[in-house]
Amino acid sequence: MTLAMPVAPEQAGARGAGPDPAWDRTAAVVWPSVDEPGRTAAVPAAGGRAAGRSLDRYRLVRFDGRVRFVVAAALGRRARRAVLRYGNDLRAPSRRWARRVVGSWFLVGTGDRADDLVAVPGDDDALGLRTAAATAVGCDEGAVHLSFAVIDREGSARPTVLVSDARGRARLFLKVGAGAARQAALQREHGATAVAAERSHRHDLGILVPRPVLLHRAGTGSALGLTPLPDDVRPVDPHDPAPTWRVLDRLVAAGPTSAPRLADSPWLRRLLADARGLRDGTTPAVGAVGDLGRRAVEVAAELHRHHGETFLLHGLRHGDWSPWNLGWTGTGRRRRLVAWDWEFGEVQAPVALDRHNWQFARATSVDRVAAGAAAVDLLARSASDRTAAGATSPLTARLFLLDMAVRRALLAAAGSSVRRRRHGRCSTCSPRTWAEPTGAPF
């Protein structure tokens, strides 16, 4: 069911024709109370109000036939362009180009088509995003404008929302989702980001972490609000990790660290709980995903048996320390690293995992190396490159690959059709990769 109705459907053109499931799923998360039979009939085809109900109007921004962004129609053309370009320089070159073209449409007015104008009932905003955002930034609700990025690559809608003023200046960044799994992920990100932001603020560490300002829940929906990125953030060099690793080391060292036995690791307890949920069906999973949970528990037990007495340095973990989640702001002595997207963060985990994540992410996403080959290379590198005072090792590399496999299985269980199709062929997720990729026993 399409939840956001076109203002003038009789004028719909080719770009506006046909359903868009991703946009429908996003609308169902943001306006969940509309998802009832007959409710959309109350939304008029034109006009500002109907039966005392207010309408929020948005412009759909399409690319390759899909709705990618939904921008508040009340924003002027230049403000819309500013919203669309938020964080654009941090994206891959092809995506930067696409966003700039889309932004230019709005600057010259090409995007002002009737078929791309939709209206949704403002009083059906059961999530209360506008009210929560206005309260968080300390202004009237009429002064904030919501614009959405339509994201459902994991098989379920997980839109992000940029809250801006009338000029398109970012005031707040929201991550939104529905369901217990997404709610738990946003809760974890809130906790890890709060710790990292407080630590970076209290100490002069050369790092800026977007600060969480709200964790909002309504029914099955949740929203995490973070301070927006600075305007001048520039991408890090994916082939030169040393500058970011130095900052990461300072961030970890500025807070509580420990060196528990692997057998006592809170990170391993969490990982085992996730794997057992897949194995036992507590986390709904089918076929290869459920089998992976069983095998992950077995491999973790073997690692525990062989290395349970090994002491590993633990500290704050970002969980996705990679070139696309990091950037630089300022210059000279005022230059700082910015680190965002802490959704896989943990307060206490082996500190080597973030380094392994950088290496693996760069290999697979920047250098386009196949996952299996990247995993083998990661293990070979870990045997010779003992960075961070010996924090990395073949053991921590195997632990990282096991952690990544369970993470991908959880995403597949949550509904990612792409990940589910690729899961059986992914060498990263192969038990042999975790256990004996170099031919040596644990």
Side-chain angles (χ1 to χ4, degrees):
M1 176 172 60
T2 299
L3 305 180
M5 303 295 289
V7 171
E10 71 278 4
Q11 302 178 40
R15 290 194 302 130
D20 191 313
W23 164 228
D24 285 352
R25 284 192 290 267
T26 294
V29 169
V30 180
W31 298 279
S33 65
V34 185
D35 195 15
E36 300 172 14
R39 289 299 294 276
T40 54
V43 182
R49 298 180 67 86
R53 305 181 73 192
S54 63
L55 293 177
D56 289 336
R57 297 170 182 273
Y58 297 93
R59 293 200 177 275
L60 305 184
V61 182
R62 301 177 188 271
F63 188 71
D64 285 345
R66 269 193 49 201
V67 176
R68 303 300 179 99
F69 303 96
V70 184
V71 183
L75 294 174
R77 290 173 183 164
R78 292 184 181 275
R80 288 180 232 160
R81 187 190 188 197
V83 165
L84 287 171
R85 295 192 66 177
Y86 171 80
N88 194 41
D89 290 341
L90 302 174
R91 301 176 184 275
S94 61
R95 293 187 178 183
R96 288 202 301 269
W97 176 85
R99 272 202 170 193
R100 284 171 182 166
V101 169
V102 170
S104 296
W105 291 345
F106 282 95
L107 185 64
V108 300
T110 308
D112 290 348
R113 293 173 55 116
D115 57 295
D116 281 338
L117 182 63
V118 299
V120 296
D123 54 348
D124 271 319
D125 178 10
L127 254 178
L129 290 184
R130 186 181 300 279
T131 301
T135 301
V137 299
C139 68
D140 183 78
E141 290 185 32
V144 297
H145 300 272
L146 310 182
S147 298
F148 302 81
V150 179
I151 302 173
D152 68 342
R153 61 177 176 267
E154 307 301 351
S156 59
R158 41 187 299 181
T160 59
V161 185
L162 184 64
V163 180
S164 70
D165 62 16
R167 298 178 61 182
R169 293 176 300 191
R171 298 294 306 277
L172 190 65
F173 186 75
L174 300 175
K175 291 187 172 185
V176 182
R182 189 61 178 154
Q183 190 173 82
L186 293 178
Q187 176 69 58
R188 288 194 301 270
E189 182 168 2
H190 180 276
T193 305
V195 170
E198 190 277 334
R199 192 176 296 179
S200 65
H201 176 73
R202 180 159 39 95
H203 303 279
D204 185 15
L205 303 175
I207 185 170
L208 173 65
V209 177
R211 182 170 51 87
V213 296
L214 71 88
L215 184 61
H216 176 68
R217 296 175 181 171
T220 61
S222 300
L224 171 65
L226 304 158
T227 53
L229 298 176
D231 293 334
D232 66 338
V233 180
R234 305 172 304 281
V236 299
D237 182 352
H239 299 288
D240 183 15
T244 72
W245 286 359
R246 284 195 293 269
V247 178
L248 174 63
D249 288 343
R250 291 197 293 266
L251 182 65
V252 171
T257 59
S258 61
R261 301 180 307 155
L262 178 60
D264 300 324
S265 169
W267 164 83
L268 185 60
R269 286 197 297 271
R270 189 273 305 163
L271 184 68
L272 273 172
D274 288 344
R276 286 169 178 153
L278 294 167
R279 180 195 66 182
D280 302 337
T282 306
T283 301
V286 295
V289 176
D291 293 340
L292 181 68
R294 174 188 58 78
R295 182 56 178 144
V297 172
E298 294 174 355
V299 171
E302 285 295 295
L303 289 167
H304 182 283
R305 182 163 66 89
H306 287 276
H307 300 286
E309 298 301 314
T310 300
F311 294 91
L312 293 176
L313 180 63
H314 280 52
L316 180 65
R317 179 194 184 192
H318 178 276
D320 196 5
W321 192 265
S322 51
W324 49 86
N325 289 331
L326 302 166
W328 295 105
T329 181
T331 58
R333 293 185 177 180
R334 298 181 62 84
R335 191 175 86 147
R336 291 180 295 172
L337 184 72
V338 187
W340 58 93
D341 279 356
W342 291 72
E343 59 189 293
F344 299 110
E346 296 175 274
V347 177
Q348 286 291 315
V351 299
L353 298 182
D354 275 338
R355 272 181 167 73
H356 292 313
N357 194 99
W358 173 287
Q359 293 167 338
F360 186 78
R362 191 199 70 183
T364 54
S365 297
V366 177
D367 299 334
R368 301 298 182 183
V369 177
V376 172
D377 180 69
L378 180 72
L379 286 156
R381 182 192 301 269
S382 69
S384 59
D385 182 16
R386 299 301 182 90
T387 58
T392 58
S393 67
L395 171 60
T396 59
R398 291 190 179 99
L399 292 175
F400 165 75
L401 293 173
L402 176 61
D403 182 271
M404 185 61 65
V406 173
R407 178 186 300 181
R408 292 188 175 191
L410 289 171
L411 291 172
S416 171
S417 57
V418 173
R419 292 183 188 274
R420 189 181 293 120
R421 287 196 303 269
R422 295 177 179 174
H423 200 74
R425 302 195 301 271
C426 177
S427 299
T428 313
C429 307
S430 164
R432 183 169 182 80
T433 302
W434 310 329
E436 300 179 89
T438 57
F442 290 90

